[in-house]
Amino acid sequence: FQSCEDSFLRSLAPKLTRHGYEAGESVVLSEASLCIVTRGTGVKGGKPITLLQFWGEDFVLSAPALRDVRTASALTYMEIVCLSRSALVESMAEFPDSAKRIRVAALHFAMLRAPMLIARCAARRRAPPHYARLAPPKPPDDPSRPNMTLPRR
């Protein structure tokens, strides 16, 4: 947002929403949002988030599969301000220069996150669990092939 127009940033200010969470409470939002801590301490993905730190910067991505979907939790009483994706898109329509800069940032995020998505998909397609691979392979059911097994006594 540093390179965006000042008027664009001013248009976003009234669209910020405030939320408060008790210690131990999970941060649950209805849509992808940029969240900034204004009071207290939270944690997301095992990393602490304190005053003026943020998460959800990937809300600019249009593909939900590329976003970090881990939930944040409050460690102490925590207040945050949030900008939703829909509010951002609404303001982008009025400021094409800023919209272009945000789309470029989204492209950079997508290029960083795409390898993680590819790795997740590849992991799902892998072979069955290791115990299934330990079983001896079944002989093919080919009648033209002679039976090579020895008879049991």
Side-chain angles (χ1 to χ4, degrees):
F1 290 108
Q2 292 176 347
S3 60
C4 292
E5 304 160 88
D6 288 341
S7 53
F8 173 70
L9 298 176
R10 281 192 294 275
S11 76
L12 293 176
K15 297 177 181 180
L16 294 172
T17 57
R18 300 181 69 80
H19 305 273
Y21 297 92
E22 294 179 13
E25 193 175 356
S26 294
V27 177
V28 179
L29 301 168
S30 60
E31 67 175 302
S33 300
L34 173 67
C35 301
I36 304 165
V37 177
T38 57
R39 181 178 180 181
T41 303
V43 64
K44 181 170 181 174
K47 296 180 182 178
I49 306 163
T50 59
L51 184 65
L52 299 181
Q53 291 183 328
F54 59 91
W55 74 89
E57 62 274 15
D58 57 0
F59 81 129
V60 297
L61 294 168
S62 58
L66 294 175
R67 294 189 200 126
D68 182 1
V69 294
R70 296 176 294 179
T71 58
S73 297
L75 292 177
T76 64
Y77 173 74
M78 183 173 71
E79 290 179 6
I80 59 174
V81 291
C82 298
L83 176 65
S84 67
R85 177 171 168 70
S86 60
L88 176 71
V89 170
E90 185 181 307
S91 291
M92 284 171 58
E94 301 169 24
F95 298 92
D97 290 340
S98 292
K100 180 180 177 182
R101 292 170 196 255
I102 290 171
R103 283 193 299 273
V104 168
L107 179 61
H108 285 228
F109 267 115
M111 295 303 289
L112 290 173
R113 298 282 172 90
M116 289 185 277
L117 179 64
I118 292 167
R120 248 185 277 144
C121 289
R124 287 186 196 134
R125 292 184 183 183
R126 285 199 184 121
H130 72 283
Y131 58 83
R133 286 182 273 162
L134 295 176
K138 291 183 178 181
D141 294 334
D142 185 1
S144 65
R145 187 172 176 178
N147 187 354
M148 300 298 287
T149 58
L150 297 173
R152 291 191 174 181
R153 292 185 192 193

